């Protein structure tokens, strides 16, 4: 590859490739990449932050935290399943779920927007496959997102159920079971 055929993204890739499996802060690598680009091409690098983010969105970089990314050579970057669901898979998921939300069973007929949701979230390695996809209405999707944030939730209700069984508190057993059913429904683990 000649110098001139290298794109701005190639410069970012090269820098991350030279530092495999290291958590690199955008604010720190930005200057290095921009300077290298300037010295080799004589041109200014436009929006390095955005370039880094786009490589993450393409599945090429792994996000460690906000503004910090790493490159893992063993991570299959051209694995299509890391990207968002393809239109083909989306259709397959909708057909399989009969164009209804898998949780509340409501759908387009009832005027709800349908979303294709990653059962295991992408940022935890969930893939964009038929098996990892489910149809959710906007309402249930919103609920799922908010419930996932509380990973302690399930444990709390499991403990509540145990205690309620011990104390034979029927009302509490019922409530705890209802909540645990929700975790099951949304496949929150
Ligand atoms: Zn729903």
């Amino acid at each position: 590859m000649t110098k001139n055929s290298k794109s701005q993204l190639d410069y970012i890739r090269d820098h991350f490739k030279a530092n495999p499996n290291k958590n690199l802060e955008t604010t720190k690598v930005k200057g290095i990449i921009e300077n290298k680009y300037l010295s080799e091409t004589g041109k200014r690098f436009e929006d390095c932050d955005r370039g880094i983010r786009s490589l993450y969105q393409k599945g090429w970089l792994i996000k460690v935290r906000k503004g910090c990314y790493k490159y893992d050579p063993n991570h299959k970057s051209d694995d299509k399943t890391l990207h968002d669901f393809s239109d083909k898979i989306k259709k397959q998921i909708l057909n399989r779920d009969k164009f209804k939300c898998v949780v509340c069973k409501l759908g387009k007929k009832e005027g709800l927007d349908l979303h294709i949701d990653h059962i295991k979230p992408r940022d935890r390695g969930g893939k964009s496959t038929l098996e990892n996809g489910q149809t959710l209405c906007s309402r249930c999707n919103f609920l799922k997102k908010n419930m996932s944030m509380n990973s302690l939730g399930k444990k709390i209700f499991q403990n509540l159920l145990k205690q309620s069984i011990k104390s034979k508190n029927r009302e509490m057993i019922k409530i705890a079971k209802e909540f645990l059913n929700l975790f099951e429904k949304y496949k929150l683990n």
Side-chain angles (χ1 to χ4, degrees):
M1 196 185 271
T2 64
K3 271 182 193 174
N4 292 337
S5 69
K6 268 173 84 177
S7 71
Q8 295 192 339
L9 286 186
D10 289 332
Y11 279 85
I12 301 177
R13 281 200 193 93
D14 285 352
H15 186 77
F16 275 90
K17 270 187 193 163
N19 298 281
N21 289 315
K22 273 189 204 155
N23 299 345
L24 301 179
E25 305 269 353
T26 302
T27 48
K28 286 183 189 150
V29 298
K30 210 174 124 171
I32 305 170
I33 297 168
E34 283 170 351
N35 283 338
K36 189 158 189 248
Y37 186 75
L38 184 68
S39 70
E40 289 188 9
T41 66
K43 286 186 269 181
R44 258 194 59 204
F45 195 114
E46 312 266 342
D47 216 346
C48 187
D49 299 67
R50 200 159 138 201
I52 292 175
R53 280 200 306 274
S54 84
L55 286 175
Y56 157 65
Q57 278 152 5
K58 287 182 178 138
W60 196 85
L61 283 177
I62 299 163
K63 190 174 188 170
V64 182
R65 58 181 174 271
K66 197 167 182 279
C68 183
Y69 299 86
K70 75 170 180 183
Y71 169 68
D72 177 355
N74 297 319
H75 184 79
K76 284 197 192 89
S77 60
D78 48 10
D79 184 346
K80 291 266 186 296
T81 58
L82 284 169
H83 302 258
D84 203 2
F85 294 108
S86 67
D87 288 343
K88 193 181 154 196
I89 300 231
K90 276 186 188 170
K91 263 186 206 156
Q92 286 174 341
I93 294 169
L94 284 167
N95 277 319
R96 185 200 58 203
D97 298 340
K98 301 186 172 64
F99 290 85
K100 282 179 194 162
C101 170
V102 295
V103 178
C104 68
K105 310 289 177 202
L106 300 179
K108 283 243 155 76
K109 255 197 239 164
E110 289 80 14
L112 292 170
D113 278 336
L114 294 177
H115 297 257
I116 308 298
D117 170 66
H118 287 81
I119 295 172
K120 184 180 179 190
R122 281 165 86 190
D123 55 16
R124 278 194 263 143
K127 294 191 167 185
S128 299
T129 55
L130 184 60
E131 299 72 39
N132 193 41
Q134 62 181 355
T135 306
L136 288 182
C137 70
S138 43
R139 203 166 45 188
C140 291
N141 196 20
F142 175 79
L143 267 173
K144 181 189 165 181
K145 286 210 173 89
N146 284 282
M147 284 178 75
S148 332
M149 277 185 230
N150 191 354
S151 56
L152 278 175
K154 195 171 178 179
K155 273 190 191 152
I156 291 172
F157 289 107
Q158 278 167 338
N159 285 337
L160 182 68
L161 181 63
K162 257 191 227 161
Q163 282 166 12
S164 315
I165 291 171
K166 254 191 219 163
S167 60
K168 292 178 182 147
N169 183 337
R170 279 204 190 155
E171 193 58 28
M172 279 319 263
I173 292 174
K174 207 182 133 202
I175 291 170
K177 276 188 176 168
E178 269 173 25
F179 274 101
L180 286 170
N181 279 338
L182 280 178
F183 284 97
E184 280 306 305
K185 262 189 183 174
Y186 289 97
K187 299 194 169 78
L188 297 170
N189 294 308

